[in-house]
Amino acid sequence: MKLKKTFLSIATLFSLSAIAQTEPKYPELTENMKRVDLLIPKIQDPENYRVEVRFGTEVKISECENTRSFDFNIKNLKKDFGLPNRYMYYYIGENQPIQILTFTETKECNPDKQITKKVLSDQNIFIEHIATQPTPFFIPKTWTVEYRLWKVHTDFKTAK
């Protein structure tokens, strides 16, 4: 009986230590990658909000060109967890090809003059508002994580 209690105690401690693991496993950073932790400010009624996330980067274009956004393959953006079903993070590879659609302006300009402009991705993701812990993003060093809050209505409407 005493041996059974000892064995049960050891098994309980072992399983609790495995469950209590608090160090999530995240991807290794390379020279061309960075980690950005998105921590949304606390707000009232967070269940009524969604967070729209886009990525930003700076591009060099001619003074005669205009662009507002860039494209990348959204399938390359991976959502994973640092621990089983906990510590969600997003990862996108460092050599992510992007496409930038530019339009030529009709104003007077110098086509040889280069300007730097910040643009946002056309692709976006929506995540729930989580103010208790940051959501890590592992992205190329030249990218930024941009976000905005959207107020949503909790009632669903039936389409007819």
Side-chain angles (χ1 to χ4, degrees):
M1 181 75 169
K2 194 173 189 181
L3 183 62
K4 189 174 183 179
K5 283 185 180 180
T6 305
F7 179 73
L8 208 57
S9 297
I10 291 172
T12 303
L13 286 175
F14 181 74
S15 62
L16 284 176
S17 68
I19 292 171
Q21 179 187 4
T22 57
E23 280 298 314
K25 294 188 183 233
Y26 292 124
E28 295 273 335
L29 287 177
T30 63
E31 183 179 322
N32 296 321
M33 296 288 291
K34 68 179 176 181
R35 175 182 170 166
V36 176
D37 290 330
L38 176 60
L39 183 60
I40 308 298
K42 290 185 180 184
I43 56 173
Q44 282 187 306
D45 303 323
E47 64 276 358
N48 293 331
Y49 288 86
R50 294 296 176 265
V51 181
E52 178 187 8
V53 177
R54 290 186 181 205
F55 300 98
T57 191
E58 289 187 345
V59 295
K60 288 191 181 221
I61 57 174
S62 164
E63 184 182 49
C64 298
E65 294 176 312
N66 190 7
T67 187
R68 290 192 179 95
S69 61
F70 70 94
D71 284 326
F72 68 93
N73 189 344
I74 194 73
K75 291 180 182 177
N76 293 335
L77 179 64
K78 306 294 182 206
K79 175 182 167 182
D80 208 346
F81 295 91
L83 290 175
N85 296 320
R86 294 180 17 203
Y87 299 104
M88 180 181 65
Y89 68 89
Y90 290 89
Y91 175 86
I92 189 154
E94 64 183 277
N95 295 321
Q96 188 58 226
I98 63 173
Q99 294 179 343
I100 300 167
L101 181 61
T102 59
F103 300 96
T104 303
E105 296 282 330
T106 56
K107 64 180 181 178
E108 288 186 33
C109 57
N110 180 357
D112 296 326
K113 183 178 178 188
Q114 294 284 305
I115 59 170
T116 301
K117 184 174 184 179
K118 184 172 187 173
V119 293
L120 297 180
S121 62
D122 283 332
Q123 293 82 353
N124 57 0
I125 55 173
F126 284 91
I127 60 178
E128 291 191 28
H129 182 277
I130 304 172
T132 56
Q133 67 185 30
T135 302
F137 286 82
F138 296 86
I139 59 175
K141 249 185 191 170
T142 58
W143 288 23
T144 59
V145 174
E146 311 287 331
Y147 77 94
R148 63 181 167 180
L149 293 175
W150 289 86
K151 186 164 175 78
V152 295
H153 298 284
T154 56
D155 299 334
F156 281 89
K157 308 285 187 213
T158 303
K160 296 181 182 186

